Amino acid sequence: MNTTSTSERTTLHVGNIPQFIPHEDISRHFSQLDGCLGCRVTQDKYRPGFVLCFVDFENEGDAVAAKAIYDGWQGWSDEGLKIQFAKRSFSSRRGGGGGGGGG
């Protein structure tokens, strides 16, 4: 696997997950992927009956590989998973407002 930028964490946004899938199953499903650092499952506020999750990876290469495997995967519903790159990692969201730059 390409390890050119291990410090560059990348997060995938995973949608189209039916809410009847237990959160533990979702986390277990993604945690077995190479470079997965964690998974956060939350209610999809735009699609009642669905949840979404954010999966954090060690680097962009691992995230690209995971997206290639599971984008469109229909294991939980006929719609298939919709996976895209999140604008920023969920680990940076957890820390509150990211420390601003000085001048």
Side-chain angles (χ1 to χ4, degrees):
M1 174 113 331
N2 185 351
T3 58
T4 55
S5 182
T6 55
S7 64
E8 200 57 40
R9 290 186 177 180
T10 303
T11 299
L12 294 179
H13 171 275
V14 183
N16 284 352
I17 303 171
Q19 72 179 8
F20 64 82
I21 305 298
H23 291 196
E24 299 80 26
D25 288 356
I26 298 167
S27 293
R28 192 176 321 111
H29 184 77
F30 289 103
S31 68
Q32 57 191 328
L33 296 171
D34 286 344
C36 180
L37 299 173
C39 178
R40 180 173 57 99
V41 181
T42 186
Q43 204 58 40
D44 188 336
K45 62 184 175 183
Y46 300 106
R47 293 193 67 204
F50 288 85
V51 296
L52 52 86
C53 76
F54 295 91
V55 186
D56 210 11
F57 289 90
E58 290 179 10
N59 59 61
E60 185 176 0
D62 289 336
V64 167
K67 184 178 186 308
I69 292 168
Y70 286 115
D71 193 26
W73 181 73
Q74 296 179 323
W76 291 324
S77 80
D78 290 340
E79 287 189 52
L81 297 180
K82 182 176 180 184
I83 301 179
Q84 46 193 310
F85 289 93
K87 292 185 181 11
R88 54 186 187 156
S89 72
F90 77 77
S91 59
S92 68
R93 295 178 203 187
R94 275 195 251 155

